Amino acid sequence: ISAWFCSCPPAFKAAVLIQQWYRRHVARLEMRRRCTWRIFQSIEYSCEQDQIKLHNFFSYLMDQFTPSSSKERDFISRMFISGESYKEAELEKYCDYETIEVPDSYTGPHLSFPLLPDHATALLEAFQQKQQLHARYVLNLLHETRKHLKQLPNISHVSTCYSEEITVCGDLHGQLDDLFLIFYKNGLPSPSKSYVFNGDFVDRGKQSLEILVILFTFLLIYPKEVHLNRGNHEDHMVNLRYGFCAGLSVHGKKILRMFQNVFCWLPLATLIDQKVLIIHGGISDTTDLDMLEKIQRNRFVSVLRLKKRKESSGKPQIQAINGESESGTDAAPRLSLQPQSAQAPSTANRLEFSRWLRQTVQEQIDTCRRLVDISESEPEELTYSSMVDSETELYFLSELCQSFQVLDILWSDPMPQEGCRENKVRGGGCYFGPDVTERFLEKYSLQFLIRSHECKQEGYEFCHSRKVLTIFSASNYYEIGSNRGAYVKLGPDLIPHFVQYQANKTAHLLTMTQRISRVEESAFRALREKLFAHTSALISAFKSYDRDNTGKIALSNWATAVESVLRLGLPWRMLRPQLVRSAEDGMLEYKSWLDDLAMEQRSQEHIQSSLLEVIYRNRSNLETIFRIIDRDHSGLISFEEFQQTWKLFSSHMNIELTDDGINDLVRSIDFNKDGNIDFNEFLEAFRLVRQGPSDDTCFPAGVPLLW
């Protein structure tokens, strides 16, 4: 071959060399793209794990803190049970839109009910011009939407017989430009243009409220053509972390309460022609559509609020999801019911369900121990009889079983391997393999599943032999140029037709190399922040390889140590050239490297390095805590709420803080002397306590403790 190549004309040789160079170039770009993608995805899922840990932290505080007065007890109740379902009378109080006057100076859109297509057009034009809808109309819209959603089944049934095609959209995540582009390319909802929006309308993007207003408006105008599924971000606890609540100001408390209730009334799935199932996340080996059809979906304001077991009189009591206990106030164990020999029967037949439960619960005792965090030193052996020894407790166990049905379809992801296992990467749901998909489709006579929940570079992706389709509609999700958005259209033949797009004009002007370089730069910047936020832990890990205290470690040990601390599952050896300067002797001066990371972050924040590390590590958690305390979501918390919160924290961390000491602290951080604490002042309180007079009177690194 080499002899033949040498005899070829020069022009042919040049063409071959150019082709080889181009293929190497494209391969390198693809490798960089994949590494960048893994960085973004690992950091995103790590944040979702932090949300679970934060809830566990609050649960632990609640277990350890004993209120000393009725005022403290009321505060704790308000602070941590804000996700509960409300009774009709309470919701009417929050939805008193008729008492809110619209001033003459208001120039935004007006709504009157019943809604007409002209109202939707006016809303679209107003939001394009950056106008806002008055709180009166928002509350009125939520009131009407809630009434409509309450009439819908858990699984919506749609037929292609009544429309030419059905358009399915995935996650939008507050990116209004993507929704505008979908309507521009595909047309507005109408009697001949049906849509299914598959959850995750909110969070991360800045225009979640506008997206919800538009979707709810079209839902009320075209109730037979517009269908909304619930996503894992239509959840009170998730909203607190990812910013949807932060966008609410005037009448924010009322609006938020209504959104919480509307979210829990959203249908869980949509079925097209009895052949294509649309769910937000995925399935598990225990997913039962018959059970999902029958559950009371509005009970699950947050599927993350699964209470832990607490001892009472030697026996665990069971509490329903979201704190709606009928037999006590103690917490429920997290059960992972995975029947091996029989499918879960309907809970309507109590005797049959009891027999099935007896077959399966005992097999899962070890799993229950791990999930509910029960210590081996506890005197009482956890057995089936100690868990389920009354009809009342059996009823609540069935409630827990139903809650995990909802958790699985909202949080699960497909995997290429066979089987079904816990999704530890996200912290909720499971991973399901092609065998689980095949059995599920065969059982319910389905052709394929459509799900969302995961960002895909092209906006969509098939897996499991084209039996599972992921559709994601938020373009430029991680960074400009990171991914396309897409939607899929299904006709009577149920053959999917995809439309891809980029909602950002800048992305169209970038070459592939420029786009990858821009996204790569953003990914490594986020990764460096993550590394800096764990400086203390990294030093400890490095020292375990530096037995002689030389201040140096081998580059191969650097990768192992970094993964042991961050646990992101990244190819650190491949990423090392972008993060670490090359060393001639193969050794890294890790203290110098960490100092460089600190300098990079200090150039953006003029704060002491050790404190900045802690703030970087805990800022999103602190923001979530602040939003929980900020009951009316005004961006401010009162002195009293601040004082009660610090009493709770100090009791957990064994910090001696008197009432006078807390009062002095709150007055010292109220810089503008307005009698309230904003988030920047709240961070200042964290700084003051962190820099206390001794290590025994300040936050340990990484506090709150369970993060």
Side-chain angles (χ1 to χ4, degrees), residues 17 19-29:
L17 291 175
Q19 183 186 61
Q20 290 176 347
W21 172 87
Y22 177 75
R23 286 176 175 173
R24 284 196 299 269
H25 175 69
V26 171
R28 290 192 185 100
L29 287 178

Side-chain angles (χ1 to χ4, degrees), residues 632-680:
D632 59 359
H633 301 278
S634 63
L636 301 170
I637 57 178
S638 68
F639 280 9
E640 182 182 6
E641 290 172 328
F642 180 87
Q643 291 163 349
Q644 299 291 353
T645 303
W646 278 100
K647 280 188 179 181
L648 182 65
F649 287 158
S650 62
S651 71
H652 169 53
M653 294 175 289
N654 297 319
I655 299 174
E656 293 294 335
L657 283 179
T658 63
D659 289 343
D660 290 339
I662 296 176
N663 290 335
D664 291 340
L665 175 63
V666 72
R667 282 193 295 268
S668 68
I669 64 174
D670 182 21
F671 300 125
N672 57 9
K673 306 304 178 185
D674 63 350
N676 292 295
I677 307 297
D678 62 23
F679 181 64
N680 288 328

Side-chain angles (χ1 to χ4, degrees), residues 586-642:
M587 303 295 288
L588 169 69
E589 293 185 5
Y590 56 86
K591 291 184 179 179
S592 175
W593 174 68
L594 291 171
D595 287 342
D596 290 342
L597 285 178
M599 286 295 294
E600 183 178 336
Q601 307 307 326
R602 275 206 300 270
S603 65
Q604 306 170 29
E605 306 271 0
H606 301 289
I607 307 178
Q608 179 186 334
S609 178
S610 60
L611 172 64
L612 187 60
E613 173 200 342
V614 180
I615 290 180
Y616 263 83
R617 185 165 63 246
N618 294 311
R619 183 181 178 93
S620 60
N621 292 323
L622 291 169
E623 286 178 339
T624 305
I625 294 171
F626 184 87
R627 290 170 187 153
I628 292 175
I629 304 170
D630 179 17
R631 295 286 298 174
D632 59 359
H633 301 278
S634 63
L636 301 170
I637 57 178
S638 68
F639 280 9
E640 182 182 6
E641 290 172 328
F642 180 87

Side-chain angles (χ1 to χ4, degrees), residues 323-342:
E324 297 175 359
S325 176
E326 297 179 13
S327 62
T329 59
D330 296 326
R334 185 196 193 286
L335 293 183
S336 178
L337 301 177
Q338 298 184 359
Q340 303 299 322
S341 58

Side-chain angles (χ1 to χ4, degrees), residues 84-101:
E84 288 187 11
S85 296
Y86 290 90
K87 297 179 180 178
E88 291 294 328
E90 293 173 323
L91 283 171
E92 290 298 328
K93 178 184 68 174
Y94 283 114
C95 197
D96 57 345
Y97 58 87
E98 295 177 348
T99 64
I100 302 175
E101 294 185 2

Side-chain angles (χ1 to χ4, degrees), residues 140 263 272 280 317 325:
N140 197 353
F263 285 166
I272 300 179
H280 178 73
Q317 300 294 318
S325 176

Side-chain angles (χ1 to χ4, degrees), residues 52-69:
I52 305 294
K53 293 175 184 177
L54 181 61
H55 179 256
N56 291 340
F57 168 70
F58 281 136
S59 298
Y60 182 79
L61 287 184
M62 288 293 293
D63 288 342
Q64 303 300 315
F65 181 68
T66 303
S68 59
S69 66

